[in-house]
Amino acid sequence: MGKTMCAVLFSVGIVATGASAAHALQAGGVEFGDLETGSVVGQPFKELEVDASFFAIEIGTMKTWYPPTTIIDFKARPGAPVLLKVTNNATAEHGFQLTAAVNQSAPTVLDTKLVLKPGETKYIGVPTSDLFYAAGNVLTYRCHLHPGHVGGKLLMLK
């Protein structure tokens, strides 16, 4: 009886710990907004430095997110949340999907989507803990509304 009760309590403890760890991976969450009113994990966007900027552009008949490759070196930056600036410089509405789903398949994988009207700018705030635990070293970005458009890669040096 004592061994059985101990095993049950141990199993419940393992399940509870696993559930809270999975929840912790999503504790900060990805936040969208504008520079003046947006915030991530309690820090206003306007107080953070922009780590990377992305632009939807049209080159002839090609529609793409620029730049094709972006690098953020976490060894040389403080542990503040990551702030990404996303601007649609194209003439039509475009989506911006930032995801690690190509590299990972966990339920906590980073996968965020937003839609921008022509000329619109939005900011994406991501806690570094979510990037480190819910994403690999490479994230991809693309227009999820138009699969034929060219996307890019965000390389994180950890």
Side-chain angles (χ1 to χ4, degrees):
M1 173 75 175
K3 290 181 183 180
T4 304
M5 183 61 100
C6 186
V8 167
L9 290 175
F10 181 72
S11 298
V12 168
I14 293 294
V15 169
T17 303
S20 64
H23 179 69
L25 292 177
Q26 300 175 28
V30 176
E31 297 291 334
F32 305 103
D34 60 37
L35 190 59
E36 293 303 315
T37 61
S39 68
V40 60
V41 290
Q43 294 186 347
F45 287 167
K46 62 184 174 187
E47 293 179 5
L48 298 170
E49 288 188 37
V50 173
D51 291 290
S53 296
F54 305 96
F55 305 92
I57 61 172
E58 298 172 359
I59 304 171
T61 59
M62 183 179 71
K63 295 171 178 75
T64 184
W65 278 101
Y66 181 83
T69 304
T70 303
I71 299 172
I72 299 177
D73 186 355
F74 286 96
K75 298 174 194 166
R77 72 180 291 285
V82 171
L83 185 62
L84 306 173
K85 180 180 178 182
V86 183
T87 303
N88 182 359
N89 288 336
T91 58
E93 184 176 80
H94 288 286
F96 184 82
Q97 178 183 22
L98 180 67
T99 184
V102 233
N103 304 321
Q104 298 179 331
S105 60
T108 56
V109 71
L110 181 71
D111 187 16
T112 184
K113 297 176 184 176
L114 61 98
V115 177
L116 296 113
K117 296 175 182 156
E120 186 176 24
T121 297
K122 290 187 182 178
Y123 292 82
I124 302 172
V126 186
T128 52
S129 61
D130 282 12
L131 282 176
F132 287 177
Y133 299 117
N137 289 336
V138 178
L139 299 171
T140 60
Y141 48 90
R142 65 181 190 90
C143 177
H144 62 282
L145 301 177
H146 307 105
H149 295 179
V150 180
K153 300 214 181 284
L154 172 62
L155 175 63
M156 299 180 295
L157 302 177
K158 301 176 185 176

